[in-house]
Amino acid sequence: MRPDMTYREHAVASLKLGLPLVGSHVAQMSIMLSDAVMLGWYSVDALAAETLGGSLFYIFFLMGSGFAWALMPMVASADAKGDQTQIRRVTRMGGWIALLFALMSLPPMIFARPLFEAIGQEPSVSQLAAEYTSLVGFAMIPALLVMVLKSYLAALERTQVVFWVTIAALPLNVLINYLLIFGHWGAPEMGIRGAALASVIVSFVSFALLAIYAVRVLPEHALFQRLWRPDWEAFGQVFRLGWPIGITSLAEVGLFSASTVMMGWLGSVQLAAHGIALQISALTFMVHMGLSNAATVRAGQAFGLGDAGSLRKGATAVLVLSAGFALLTVVLFLAVPAQMIGLFLDPDDPERVAVIAAGIGLLAAAALFQLVDAAQVMALGFLRGVQDTRMPMIIATLSYWVIGIPASYLLGFTLGFGGVGVWLGLALGLALAGIFFMTRFWGWSIRDLEKGPSTAQA
């Protein structure tokens, strides 16, 4: 990163880094969607059980991923300073922490049935979900190690390989699902257990591909040599930066999970419309997520060099890119909502008209939702780049849970705005988070870096 880079050069660099990450996020979403679609073809009970079991897996996965995401700014900063030893140290210990967390998550995944029954799920669905988690829990080990390698490679601006490995995983997942869920081509018909086993296999293959790439293309880091030797200083650095990121992500997922529960109280039509609108919003959100990852890497490089000017310019450039895409989605959500919602519905479904009518209102709320969601995830990317994670965790928890969820209930039920009110509550929580995140970054992080690198890193 040159200190004399223009805004245009910063924007081009962020796009070059971020677009493959956007593609990999979309591909990862497609893998999850393929599981749901193929299990839905198998049986409704299997789909319900996968939704239930997958939610438990995702909670642990998000928390564990916080330690992997912590590597992005740490590796980017070390790379900017030419400190290859530090890159190796933190990446190895990131792998250690990911492995330990995955092993800790195994018992609750294997013995999950009492938990599902305790929260009021039907016994038959609880049994199927427990069968799913008892197998898919083992995918946590390679899945978190994949996240560690993805963060390491993204921080070194090796995002193309991250994209292609994720793309390759999609058809492999579909193929193994086809074999093991339905029992085609002589394979055993395993139903939901087949989908779980497919996730384990695909995760191990993805890890192997990324590990081979790291060994062959980046031998100077020697990531897998003397891997058994602990480095407690680096272990502590990754842990301290990573656990608040995991809690922050969990707080945001909890906000959306709570909104889904509330939409279920309004009936199946509203819940269906909510699910469709959420899928559409999640797809467009992947663009901002990829740009945010790029912002983390670029901010980490500037932070490592102590270059406040580049940090300011780079942040401004990527914010403009994100805002431009957010405005485009606002236009789409307001101009053609019925057409987008209709793509998810059978033309002969008797409830099609009702679901579309409900969804139009939700996408109107989502137009506002996109702007504030983009702002908060971009600000989080900047803050992670300058290795500021604890205060954002507190801000996220207060904004999402103390403000967002109560506001959704108040607007949706107490004031009678229904589903639109629930979504406006979401937007309020995300907007407050975005405001406070941005204020912290622009008013604190950059100011401290301008005082000197030693002050900012203290």
Side-chain angles (χ1 to χ4, degrees):
M1 178 181 290
R2 304 191 327 271
D4 61 341
M5 288 178 69
T6 64
Y7 286 103
R8 182 179 180 279
E9 287 174 326
H10 276 289
V12 170
S14 295
L15 280 175
K16 183 180 178 181
L17 183 61
L19 286 179
L21 293 173
V22 171
S24 70
H25 290 318
V26 172
Q28 191 63 51
M29 272 194 66
S30 300
I31 291 173
M32 297 167 63
L33 183 61
S34 70
D35 284 345
V37 169
M38 297 181 81
L39 282 171
W41 291 344
Y42 186 76
S43 80
V44 173
D45 282 349
L47 175 58
E50 188 269 341
T51 301
L52 182 61
S55 297
L56 180 63
F57 179 90
Y58 197 53
I59 287 171
F60 284 112
F61 177 73
L62 273 180
M63 293 180 67
S65 292
F67 302 110
W69 286 326
L71 291 178
M72 262 193 207
M74 298 179 78
V75 172
S77 293
D79 186 52
K81 292 183 286 189
D83 191 346
Q84 305 303 311
T85 301
Q86 179 67 0
I87 292 174
R88 177 172 60 252
R89 293 176 65 200
V90 296
T91 304
R92 281 180 176 176
M93 290 303 100
W96 267 48
I97 297 175
L99 179 60
L100 291 172
F101 185 90
L103 293 174
M104 290 172 58
S105 72
L106 270 178
M109 294 290 290
I110 293 173
F111 304 105
R113 182 173 180 176
L115 172 62
F116 296 143
E117 293 180 344
I119 59 175
Q121 301 303 307
E122 294 180 4
S124 60
V125 174
S126 295
Q127 173 61 34
L128 281 175
E131 291 179 13
Y132 177 76
T133 57
S134 66
L135 268 179
V136 82
F138 290 94
M140 190 72 70
I141 297 171
L144 288 180
L145 292 175
V146 164
M147 290 299 297
V148 167
L149 290 180
K150 282 184 174 181
S151 294
Y152 157 76
L153 292 168
L156 298 175
E157 302 194 25
R158 304 272 180 168
T159 54
Q160 291 286 343
V161 66
V162 173
F163 170 72
W164 287 114
V165 167
T166 312
I167 286 292
L170 175 57
L172 179 62
N173 187 70
V174 171
L175 175 63
I176 300 176
N177 273 346
Y178 181 76
L179 292 174
L180 299 182
I181 293 176
F182 302 99
H184 290 301
W185 300 344
E189 182 181 339
M190 299 176 65
I192 193 170
R193 292 173 64 86
L197 185 55
S199 296
V200 175
I201 294 171
V202 170
S203 296
F204 271 110
V205 170
S206 297
F207 171 67
L209 291 174
L210 291 173
I212 291 169
Y213 179 89
V215 169
R216 292 189 174 181
V217 180
L218 298 163
E220 65 272 20
H221 295 151
L223 292 182
F224 300 101
Q225 293 181 16
R226 297 183 295 279
L227 190 59
W228 59 88
R229 295 179 59 181
D231 182 341
W232 298 118
E233 181 183 6
F235 186 100
Q237 291 172 348
V238 177
F239 184 84
R240 285 191 296 272
L241 192 65
W243 74 263
I245 297 177
I247 299 299
T248 300
S249 300
L250 190 61
E252 184 174 1
V253 169
L255 172 67
F256 286 96
S257 297
S259 73
T260 298
V261 171
M262 284 187 248
M263 293 299 288
W265 296 341
L266 294 170
S268 60
V269 169
Q270 288 283 345
L271 183 58
H274 169 79
I276 293 171
L278 209 55
Q279 287 272 8
I280 295 171
S281 297
L283 185 61
T284 58
F285 178 73
M286 291 303 103
V287 175
H288 305 293
M289 176 66 80
L291 290 175
S292 177
N293 294 156
T296 296
V297 174
R298 302 281 297 165
Q301 293 169 345
F303 183 73
L305 296 171
D307 188 348
S310 291
L311 180 61
R312 186 186 296 276
K313 279 186 178 181
T316 301
V318 77
L319 265 181
V320 171
L321 293 173
S322 178
F325 183 78
L327 290 173
L328 176 62
T329 61
V330 168
V331 173
L332 288 174
F333 286 2
L334 295 178
V336 289
Q339 291 85 343
M340 287 191 291
I341 296 166
L343 294 174
F344 290 79
L345 299 169
D346 186 334
D348 299 323
D349 192 321
E351 294 185 314
R352 176 185 172 90
V353 174
V355 172
I356 289 177
I360 289 174
L362 297 183
L363 280 184
L368 171 62
F369 176 96
Q370 286 289 298
L371 287 168
V372 298
D373 206 13
Q376 65 90 23
V377 77
M378 294 308 301
L380 268 180
F382 301 147
L383 289 169
R384 289 172 184 173
V386 298
Q387 302 186 22
D388 181 11
T389 60
R390 292 197 183 185
M391 184 55 69
M393 174 190 68
I394 296 171
I395 291 171
T397 303
L398 293 175
S399 299
Y400 301 152
W401 283 82
V402 178
I403 303 297
I405 292 176
S408 289
Y409 183 85
L410 177 66
L411 293 169
F413 297 92
T414 305
L415 298 181
F417 289 106
V420 172
V422 172
W423 275 59
L424 289 176
L426 292 179
L428 177 61
L430 292 167
L432 287 175
I435 290 169
F436 288 125
F437 290 155
M438 286 290 185
T439 300
R440 183 164 178 82
F441 175 72
W442 293 101
W444 180 83
S445 300
I446 290 183
R447 182 194 63 199
D448 278 6
L449 192 59
E450 287 173 338
K451 294 179 182 177
S454 59
T455 302
Q457 297 182 44

